[in-house]
Amino acid sequence: FIFFNTGLLELSLGKFRNVLLNQTNPVEAVIRNIASNVTVVIFQVHAQQSDVVISFDKNPSVNSSGTGVDKGLVSILRPQQTVCTWYLRSLDASQVLSTAISIPYMEKDPIPGGCNLEFDLEVDPNIYLDYTLVDIHIKFAPANLGYNRGANPPSCDSGTGQNSRWRLRYDVYQYFLPENDLSEMVLMSHIRKMSEVRSIKANGIKMLTLTTDDKTNVYFSSLPGQGVIYNIIVWDPLWNTSAAYIPVHTYACSFADLVDNCSSLSKLSTKVFFTAFAVLGLFTCFFGHRFWKTDLFFMGFIFTAFFFFVFITRVTGLGYDVRLILTAVAGITGGLLLVVSWWRFGSILLCMFIIGLVLGFLFSSTVFFTPLGDYRVFRDDVVFWVTFSSVALMIPVLFVGCPRILNILASGIVGSYAVILAIACYVYTSLAYITLDLLRRVLNDYFSRAYTNVPFQTNDFIILSVWTMLALSGVTVQLRRERSEVPFPPHPYLAWKRERERRSTNVLDPSHHIPPLRERIHNKLLHIKEFFQKEQPAGERTPLLL
């Protein structure tokens, strides 16, 4: 990469230039010798985290400038015009690395943001992005039809026919930066792939198409710490021409925060919780069926903790750490209650239903983690939850006749996924969003409008291989070990009652002659008392009779 930090930046149409900007000395960007068939030039500049100002004049005004990390301006060329000039500077006192490009369009190409009625610029090609920990919201101004130099722009509200802007279509594209890489140079090199129509189509993922009847805003699920670039191509079906808006990027986190910034997203409480959870899950993965009560505790913990966390988040305003501690306590209580219910009542059906439901929820979440989950029909909450619940309930129904197989599958798959969740606390992986997106949909009423596409890169393939290996190994080991054993251990409470009755009726049983517990305790206390008594001297103890 070559950097320019002089006061004058000479540009060529369609060519990127890297430039160092500062607050005190604006950089004048100039394009010369523009061809006569070019009617519009879109100039854009990008920085990673520091806002830059782009304007038509040295002294920026609200209606002639833009401020942000991804900003651009549209220059409508006059007849005979061959030179365009813009001014760049940063809002940060230190130098800011940025990259700039100017893209030409012809008279039949649509003009991005040409029918802007919402934002400050008269023609605004920018995409405006807001994010939370849950979702990302992008919005943009509608485009207009292209026209010749010197002509009046087509009316934006003259009609809705095929000769108006209402024939335009908007394709929304998404592009993921390399995982676990927050460097400026990586962003600068990849944002070039999302700036021009041809490269956007070649590298981006087309998420949806909007018509002029649709609202010009779209929601996506938030991926904190993962760089994502969005752009929109406006297409004129009559002339088969296209133009691109200004690409916008986000990491859904802050570089400036001292705590929970882009480099350290997971809280300490989250790491402790899921690390302990992974240890128990790894044990369950290989020994769950053999240690039946531990397996019950693990599944009961998951079932109770999930619903308790949803409940406490919905009805209270407690902080995250407090909610996580209370969730852990509730999960432990739920796990113990499930163990006690089996010990006292022998409710094997209830236990297997809960185990099957946990596995079913994970399976259903995995199904909706695929591109199937972004189908428009599942935007409807009723359709989504009915389908989701049906898929989840299918697992315990299918395995109702073979509970041992169900339990081994559940302990192997769910236990190994607990390890993946712990890995996600330290290294980014999209596999964590299998269950996280489900939790977001439960907790947020409007998450159904968000597209939940996630990257799947080398890191994810490695962790998916780890999950698969652990699950297959755990299931195989348990199936081989348990094939000659009874399906489930006997009910402990009934076994204890039968043993007590046998001892009380069988006089030949040596255990029948064992004294009651109260008498045994009394004898033991007497034995201890004798131990501490002073030993009497040997010999005659009575006086001689006279």
Side-chain angles (χ1 to χ4, degrees):
F1 290 91
I2 301 175
F3 305 101
F4 298 87
N5 56 5
T6 59
L8 180 64
L9 178 64
E10 294 279 355
L11 295 172
S12 300
L13 290 174
K15 300 294 183 180
F16 275 93
R17 298 290 292 273
N18 293 327
V19 58
L20 293 174
L21 303 176
N22 58 55
Q23 188 177 24
T24 56
N25 300 315
V27 173
E28 182 180 0
V30 179
I31 295 179
R32 308 181 192 277
N33 303 319
I34 301 175
S36 59
N37 62 341
V38 176
T39 58
V40 170
V41 176
I42 296 182
F43 178 69
Q44 56 188 268
V45 62
H46 305 276
Q48 186 186 40
Q49 52 179 305
S50 301
D51 286 345
V52 298
V53 180
I54 178 174
S55 62
F56 291 113
D57 307 308
K58 274 191 174 182
N59 299 316
S61 62
V62 174
N63 297 325
S64 65
S65 66
T67 302
V69 292
D70 301 289
K71 284 298 172 182
L73 296 173
V74 173
S75 293
I76 308 295
L77 300 182
R78 302 181 303 274
Q80 310 304 320
Q81 182 178 354
T82 60
V83 178
C84 282
T85 303
W86 304 272
Y87 296 90
L88 307 172
R89 66 180 179 88
S90 70
L91 292 181
D92 206 341
S94 59
Q95 286 190 327
V96 174
L97 171 63
S98 64
T99 187
I101 186 177
S102 55
I103 302 174
Y105 291 102
M106 314 305 173
E107 62 184 64
K108 292 184 179 180
D109 297 328
I111 301 175
C115 286
N116 172 44
L117 297 175
E118 182 178 358
F119 309 109
D120 294 327
L121 294 172
E122 182 179 356
V123 179
D124 195 338
N126 295 287
I127 300 173
Y128 292 84
L129 184 147
D130 298 307
Y131 72 85
T132 66
L133 288 176
V134 176
D135 59 19
I136 294 171
H137 176 210
I138 64 171
K139 54 184 178 179
F140 58 97
N144 201 357
L145 302 176
Y147 56 95
N148 294 323
R149 290 196 188 193
N152 293 323
S155 174
C156 291
D157 299 309
S158 59
T160 58
Q162 287 298 306
N163 293 324
S164 67
R165 70 173 181 91
W166 292 85
R167 71 180 189 232
L168 299 177
R169 300 290 182 267
Y170 303 87
D171 296 331
V172 182
Y173 284 82
Q174 184 182 50
Y175 179 86
F176 295 109
L177 296 174
E179 293 178 352
N180 302 307
D181 196 329
L182 304 176
S183 64
E184 286 182 309
M185 300 310 301
V186 167
L187 172 64
M188 298 305 162
S189 62
H190 285 271
I191 206 164
R192 301 181 177 194
K193 300 178 181 180
M194 291 293 289
S195 297
E196 300 180 88
V197 172
R198 183 178 299 177
S199 60
I200 294 172
K201 292 181 177 180
N203 298 285
I205 303 170
K206 183 179 176 181
M207 298 300 299
L208 71 156
T209 298
L210 300 174
T211 66
T212 311
D213 295 326
D214 297 318
K215 294 182 178 180
T216 55
N217 56 66
V218 186
Y219 291 86
F220 298 89
S221 61
S222 183
L223 306 173
Q226 171 61 47
V228 190
I229 301 173
Y230 300 97
N231 206 346
I232 298 165
I233 294 177
V234 54
W235 173 55
D236 187 339
L238 180 62
W239 298 110
N240 194 27
T241 55
S242 301
Y245 280 72
I246 308 300
V248 61
H249 78 277
T250 182
Y251 295 91
C253 56
S254 172
F255 285 89
D257 292 345
L258 297 178
V259 181
D260 298 333
N261 55 43
C262 290
S263 300
S264 59
L265 288 170
S266 294
K267 295 177 177 289
L268 178 61
S269 58
T270 305
K271 293 179 179 178
V272 172
F273 179 89
F274 281 103
T275 301
F277 183 60
V279 172
L280 182 59
L282 187 61
F283 179 85
T284 305
C285 176
F286 288 93
F287 307 102
H289 194 72
R290 171 64 63 88
F291 296 88
W292 169 239
K293 286 181 283 189
T294 303
D295 187 26
L296 284 181
F297 174 81
F298 179 67
M299 297 298 175
F301 179 91
I302 295 173
F303 186 84
T304 308
F306 178 82
F307 287 103
F308 182 83
F309 186 81
V310 170
F311 171 77
I312 199 173
T313 304
R314 280 282 194 176
V315 302
T316 70
L318 297 175
Y320 173 78
D321 290 340
V322 176
R323 282 182 286 144
L324 195 62
I325 293 173
L326 294 178
T327 299
V329 173
I332 293 172
T333 305
L336 293 175
L337 286 176
L338 187 60
V339 174
V340 170
S341 69
W342 173 74
W343 189 92
R344 181 64 179 83
F345 303 106
S347 52
I348 190 68
L349 289 179
L350 172 63
C351 295
M352 293 314 302
F353 177 75
I354 291 178
I355 291 172
L357 204 58
V358 172
L359 179 60
F361 264 63
L362 180 58
F363 176 73
S364 188
S365 299
T366 306
V367 170
F368 283 95
F369 179 71
T370 67
L372 179 68
D374 280 332
Y375 279 20
R376 189 178 294 271
V377 66
F378 295 120
R379 296 275 178 263
D380 187 284
D381 282 330
V382 175
V383 175
F384 174 83
W385 287 116
V386 169
T387 308
F388 182 91
S389 302
S390 300
V391 175
L393 290 172
M394 181 178 65
I395 298 299
V397 171
L398 286 178
F399 289 92
V400 67
C402 41
R404 176 163 64 177
I405 300 298
L406 173 60
N407 184 54
I408 291 176
L409 286 174
S411 60
I413 296 173
V414 177
S416 57
Y417 184 71
V419 178
I420 303 305
L421 290 178
I423 293 175
C425 294
Y426 302 92
V427 179
Y428 176 87
T429 173
S430 297
L431 295 177
Y433 289 95
I434 292 176
T435 49
L436 183 57
D437 280 344
L438 172 66
L439 187 62
R440 286 172 168 179
R441 184 140 190 176
V442 174
L443 294 176
N444 300 275
D445 296 331
Y446 300 105
F447 189 72
S448 59
R449 63 192 176 183
Y451 288 85
T452 57
N453 188 40
V454 296
F456 216 79
Q457 301 176 6
T458 303
N459 197 49
D460 301 302
F461 282 107
I462 295 173
I463 296 178
L464 178 60
S465 300
V466 173
W467 182 18
T468 304
M469 180 191 67
L470 286 175
L472 289 177
S473 301
V475 171
T476 303
V477 167
Q478 293 194 75
L479 285 175
R480 290 179 62 86
R481 185 195 301 121
E482 304 296 330
R483 60 186 175 182
S484 59
E485 303 290 335
V486 294
F488 289 94
H491 180 208
Y493 181 70
L494 293 179
W496 176 77
K497 286 185 65 176
R498 285 196 298 266
E499 180 67 14
R500 187 181 65 174
E501 292 174 359
R502 184 183 65 81
R503 289 179 177 180
S504 63
T505 56
N506 186 5
V507 295
L508 298 179
D509 189 348
S511 63
H512 177 78
H513 304 285
I514 297 176
L517 178 63
R518 180 181 298 179
E519 185 177 342
R520 281 181 286 163
I521 295 175
H522 180 69
N523 292 336
K524 194 71 174 177
L525 291 175
L526 286 177
H527 179 72
I528 296 174
K529 182 178 179 181
E530 291 175 357
F531 179 80
F532 287 100
Q533 284 182 344
K534 184 177 181 182
E535 184 179 357
Q536 297 295 330
E540 184 65 46
R541 302 193 178 202
T542 58
L544 294 175
L545 295 176
L546 295 176

